[in-house]
Amino acid sequence: MIALTALMSAVTVGAYRSTVGSPSDAAALAALAGNPAIRTLFGEPVALHDAGGFAVWRTGTVLSVLLAVWGLLAATRITRGEEDAGRWDVLLAGRVPVRNVVARHLATLVAWALLAGVAAFTGLVAAGASAGGAVAHAAGVALCGVFFVAVGTLTSQVFAARTSASGAAVAVLGVSMLLKMVGDGVSDLEWLRWLSPFGMAALARPYDGDHIGPLAVLGAACVLLVVAATAAAGRRDIRGGHISSASGRPPRRVLLGSPQAFAVRRLLRPLAAWSAGIGAYYLLIGVLAVSMTDFLTANPRFAELAAQAGFGGLVTVEGYVATLFALLAVPVGAFAAVRLADLAQEESSRRLTLLLAQPVTRVRVLTAEVTAAVGGAFALTTVAGLATWTGTRAVSAELGLLAALAGAWNVLPVVFLCVGAGVLALAWAPRAVAFAGCVPAAGGFLLKVFADTWGWPTWIGQVSPFAHLAAVPDAPVGWLAAQLMAAIGVLAVAVGAFGYRRRDLRV
């Protein structure tokens, strides 16, 4: 997260200086940013005439959300997951009380969130942006991270199960984002931003006043949450919470008849959450289709620079959605990788031990999880295609339903590579399943962008799977490349399954 925060900040400043070369370019960009849909997606445009201001507008919310997600998941994993798995039992049996253990872990997570803010400042200043606005931006990003670290720690004390704690913290994040987006998009409801940590970070207006008031309010909220989390930890039993799981309810036996059915059952809740997020994003992408293509048609310089970075064809609706559909491989590939990482976590937490002691083979369990992950990926791409088509229909853009679905499904071969990489890691590096599974999508996308932008040798860019994806629906499907990537993914799954079957269980 620290490396990503610094890199995105620096690269965006450099991209602005190479893209916006004149006041007329800045004026055209500001006119586009004034579109309500653009404001809803990226936030209120502030100081777009300045490279630092543009970087804050383009990456500020993204970095804040990424840091918030990392913070709340790390907090629930450490302060509730480790305790639930029994790894704190010997420690807590000694003289160190629960409150002290939780407080020290919380302090460590807060320190890392603050260091991510320092990384954002360093990236902006190193790229040539002024330090004053960078301080305000870095403080906002860091405080958003601290806020959700504290939220995750607090929910871990309130709820007695990690899933409930993570769900409650994610719900707070979702409501916070919704409040900011509504406040950014509807001028009469701008006051809603004061109810969201992301909104308060934006109200600091880096490079356009650098207001300290919203940051002070956000900092006070962070302190209150930290105090509340620490106090709540001292008033609960070990492995307990202030809200216990419901007891005495009728058993829920749906989808418990086989490993395959149980894999589907475990998939449904995260699939619903991911579908909501991806669907909302691609609905906005569809709504923006006409505005973006009109802007790029009227400002060909931006279209040329986008083409140099590997994003050509943006002046037509089909070319525009094809480019945005290529990005879909990143979240969908991450979804599949996370599902496989969850299987590794189930193994390390010993929840699979009794199951695998029965006449149930590891390959059967793995096949069920891989099938569920691939099915979930297909569902997510379908949701993205339907949402994009719905958005284009709302603005009378010319995009057929089958064309939208084809463009979304076109990224599935990259997802197969992610599944294959994840299964290979499950066999030989179980702790790195999530990272390895994300490499073909996230790493491949970054490799292609950097290779195209900075003029690296052609063969380097060809390593990325995105270099072999056709721009569907603007171009026909590249069946040969798609089949080859799918075959590599299937082969990797087979090799990983062989290794997984032969190794010992990890605990």
Side-chain angles (χ1 to χ4, degrees), residues 112-442:
W112 282 112
L114 294 175
L115 282 176
V118 174
F121 171 84
T122 304
L124 288 174
V125 174
S130 62
V135 169
H137 170 61
V141 170
L143 288 174
C144 284
V146 172
F147 183 93
F148 283 98
V149 162
V151 167
T153 306
L154 178 59
T155 58
S156 296
Q157 314 315 308
V158 173
F159 296 96
R162 179 185 173 186
T163 54
S164 299
S166 297
V170 169
V172 174
L173 186 146
V175 171
S176 299
M177 272 303 302
L178 180 62
L179 291 172
K180 180 185 183 298
M181 293 174 72
V182 172
D184 286 332
V186 182
S187 57
D188 292 338
L189 298 177
E190 290 181 350
W191 57 270
L192 289 175
R193 291 184 290 179
W194 283 97
L195 304 179
S196 165
F198 306 116
M200 284 186 278
L203 287 170
R205 302 179 72 87
Y207 296 97
D208 186 41
D210 303 329
H211 303 302
I212 194 65
L215 295 177
V217 175
L218 179 55
C222 292
V223 171
L224 288 175
L225 285 171
V226 167
V227 171
T230 306
R235 291 178 171 82
R236 66 171 177 85
D237 292 333
I238 297 175
R239 295 205 193 185
H242 294 277
I243 298 178
S244 301
S245 302
S247 59
R249 68 186 181 189
R252 297 177 292 177
R253 298 189 177 93
V254 178
L255 298 176
L256 288 179
S258 67
Q260 292 83 356
F262 185 59
V264 174
R265 173 175 169 142
R266 296 201 313 132
L267 177 77
L268 293 178
R269 185 178 295 179
L271 179 62
W274 282 74
S275 296
I278 288 177
Y281 179 81
Y282 276 89
L283 178 64
L284 274 173
I285 292 302
V287 170
L288 291 171
V290 173
S291 298
M292 287 298 298
T293 53
D294 288 348
F295 169 76
L296 292 169
T297 300
N299 298 273
R301 172 170 170 75
F302 287 94
E304 293 172 3
L305 290 167
Q308 292 175 12
F311 302 107
L314 291 175
V315 294
T316 65
V317 171
E318 290 191 342
Y320 162 76
V321 298
T323 299
L324 273 298
F325 277 142
L327 298 176
L328 179 62
V330 177
V332 177
F335 168 82
V338 167
R339 298 314 307 156
L340 294 173
D342 192 55
L343 176 62
Q345 174 62 29
E346 294 295 306
E347 178 185 345
S348 64
S349 62
R350 306 175 189 176
R351 294 189 182 95
L352 289 181
T353 304
L354 291 179
L355 174 64
L356 296 178
Q358 303 298 318
V360 178
T361 65
R362 297 190 202 182
V363 173
R364 184 182 177 187
V365 174
L366 176 61
T367 301
E369 293 293 338
V370 168
T371 304
V374 171
F378 179 79
L380 288 177
T381 54
T382 302
V383 167
L386 291 173
T388 304
W389 176 77
T390 302
T392 56
R393 293 283 293 177
V395 295
S396 301
E398 295 183 2
L399 181 69
L401 175 59
L402 292 180
L405 290 174
W409 293 335
N410 186 55
V411 304
L412 286 174
V414 180
V415 178
F416 293 154
L417 292 177
C418 293
V419 173
V423 176
L424 285 174
L426 181 66
W428 287 283
R431 292 181 180 272
V433 172
F435 175 80
C438 289
V439 166

Side-chain angles (χ1 to χ4, degrees), residues 395-489:
V395 295
S396 301
E398 295 183 2
L399 181 69
L401 175 59
L402 292 180
L405 290 174
W409 293 335
N410 186 55
V411 304
L412 286 174
V414 180
V415 178
F416 293 154
L417 292 177
C418 293
V419 173
V423 176
L424 285 174
L426 181 66
W428 287 283
R431 292 181 180 272
V433 172
F435 175 80
C438 289
V439 166
F445 176 75
L446 291 174
L447 176 62
K448 182 178 184 300
V449 171
F450 291 158
D452 289 341
T453 302
W454 294 331
W456 291 353
T458 303
W459 67 268
I460 296 179
Q462 293 297 310
V463 173
S464 169
F466 289 88
H468 308 285
L469 276 184
V472 181
D474 193 39
V477 177
W479 288 109
L480 179 60
Q483 291 170 358
L484 182 59
M485 285 190 281
I488 293 173

